[in-house]
Amino acid sequence: MASKALKQVSRIITAHRQREGGGFIVRRPLPSGNFDFADPFLMLDHLGPVNYAPGEAVGAPDHPHRGFETVTYVLEGGFEHLDSHGNHGILSPGWVQWMTAGSGVMHSEMPTKELLDKGGNFHGFQIWVNLPAKDKMIPPRYQDVPPENIPWFESADKQTRIKVIAGEVEGVKANIDTRTPIYFLDLRTTGKYALHIPEGMDAMVYNYHPTSILVGQEKTKVNESQLAIIKAQGEPVEFETADGDSEKKEARVLVLAGTPIGEKIVRHGPFVMNTADELLQAFTDMQTGHFGKIPGSFERMRATDEANAKRKQQGKE
């Protein structure tokens, strides 16, 4: 008698849509409903894909963060980053920015001048990762990583490629340094692959592509915009493309896994701390100018308002 397949997918969550930042629409599976925290992951936003006409692109004008990390992964289009510590960078297709907000920073994430002036496609993700209490007030740090510095793993049968943003896959190690053990993978397959998740980590799989994928030893189907919560139970997690096998359609998913920090959190808006007093102090510091300012704030807000007005005039979201 064949052994019963191990059930590894404990839950499926379909992302909801909401407006964020300067007015763009995201698909957000985490937090969602009564699923508000997947230690150490605080949030997963799927940005786009969207096609902007000239003058329509928007981003997230000046805003603060404290107590966690933001991870931005761009597939198409681009962001221009500025902050109150004088940092500046352009995130183009394939780039990843791993920003440790730590003790606090004011920053802006705006469309590149080219995307705003000429229009075009934008597609990407932003993930929030919690920091342990001992690291919540460390100095801010940036890791801006171009695509040529992000390694890929390829399976022996050439059917699976995995972009190793954080963590390690079969000896292929990421170049990004994380404060706690984290796996962040962009897995693309036209066939089958069994992924090892380290002991002590739970995982999430988010399907960001139209092709459905079968996940887990029990082969749970995960459709576009759905998040699968994985309990690996010490066994490899299986992935298999579910649609159009004869046509070799590629499935694409993000795989997120991390060692739980296991600490109580208190969060509101752009701040994630461990106590109510710490959260109150973060708001006090923001209101008293502790996070600093970025030159050009008025111009960024005006550009955002003009882009929103133009899209509204055209009947777009």
Side-chain angles (χ1 to χ4, degrees):
M1 180 183 293
S3 61
K4 186 177 180 181
L6 178 67
K7 182 172 176 58
Q8 294 179 306
V9 177
S10 64
R11 187 173 182 181
I12 296 287
I13 298 165
T14 300
H16 64 274
R17 292 166 60 86
Q18 70 179 65
R19 196 173 301 277
E20 274 297 321
F24 53 86
I25 300 295
V26 303
R27 284 179 275 178
R28 177 176 292 175
L30 172 71
S32 183
N34 62 355
F35 183 67
D36 61 356
F37 184 36
D39 193 6
F41 300 101
L42 298 157
M43 188 189 80
L44 168 58
D45 275 356
H46 183 183
L47 321 175
V50 60
N51 181 265
Y52 289 119
E56 290 184 350
V58 294
D62 306 25
H63 58 285
H65 290 303
R66 173 180 283 178
F68 63 100
E69 300 180 296
T70 68
V71 184
T72 304
Y73 176 30
V74 177
L75 296 180
E76 296 182 276
F79 269 139
E80 180 176 13
H81 170 85
L82 291 166
D83 75 20
S84 52
H85 292 264
N87 295 297
H88 173 255
I90 301 293
L91 302 181
S92 300
W95 279 68
V96 170
Q97 180 188 79
W98 200 290
M99 184 189 86
T100 304
S103 59
V105 66
M106 183 75 71
H107 78 149
S108 76
E109 302 154 294
M110 297 294 287
T112 60
K113 186 176 187 303
E114 180 180 12
L115 182 60
L116 183 60
D117 291 348
K118 298 180 180 180
N121 294 329
F122 182 83
H123 191 193
F125 307 91
Q126 186 163 101
I127 297 155
W128 289 8
V129 183
N130 192 28
L131 286 170
K134 67 182 181 64
D135 291 337
K136 284 194 177 292
M137 295 300 287
I138 62 175
R141 179 180 70 159
Y142 294 88
Q143 298 177 81
D144 288 352
V145 187
E148 59 267 25
N149 290 343
I150 303 175
W152 286 87
F153 161 81
E154 186 174 60
S155 62
D157 63 8
K158 310 294 186 183
Q159 293 184 341
T160 300
R161 297 181 73 234
I162 303 175
K163 193 173 192 177
V164 187
I165 298 169
E168 178 180 352
V169 177
E170 295 195 35
V172 177
K173 297 181 180 181
N175 290 316
I176 287 175
D177 175 54
T178 62
R179 303 296 302 186
T180 59
I182 297 288
Y183 271 51
F184 179 10
L185 312 173
D186 182 349
L187 185 153
R188 306 178 183 189
T189 186
T190 57
K192 301 179 182 180
Y193 183 74
L195 177 69
H196 173 71
I197 302 293
E199 194 75 28
M201 287 187 180
D202 291 330
M204 302 185 294
V205 175
Y206 178 70
N207 185 354
Y208 68 88
H209 195 63
T211 302
S212 297
I213 192 166
L214 304 177
V215 178
Q217 294 189 11
E218 75 279 23
K219 299 187 184 300
T220 298
K221 188 173 185 179
V222 182
N223 298 317
E224 183 179 11
S225 301
Q226 288 188 328
L227 181 76
I229 309 304
I230 308 295
K231 301 291 185 183
Q233 302 182 59
E235 297 293 329
V237 179
E238 298 181 4
F239 296 84
E240 181 179 349
T241 185
D243 294 344
D245 289 346
S246 62
E247 301 176 15
K248 294 292 184 182
K249 290 185 179 180
E250 185 177 67
R252 300 181 181 182
V253 298
L254 299 185
V255 181
L256 300 170
T259 301
I261 296 171
E263 297 174 348
K264 177 184 176 182
I265 62 169
V266 181
R267 63 192 289 187
H268 188 82
F271 305 130
V272 182
M273 307 305 292
N274 295 107
T275 69
D277 286 345
E278 291 171 346
L279 186 66
L280 179 61
Q281 185 63 53
F283 277 99
T284 299
D285 289 346
M286 178 186 69
Q287 292 164 357
T288 55
H290 179 83
F291 289 88
K293 295 181 179 181
I294 314 170
S297 175
F298 175 79
E299 288 77 11
R300 286 186 291 277
M301 284 302 304
R302 182 175 62 185
T304 300
D305 290 343
E306 290 174 352
N308 282 324
K310 185 167 185 177
R311 290 203 323 279
K312 184 176 181 179
Q313 189 178 39
Q314 298 298 319
K316 301 178 180 178
E317 284 187 317

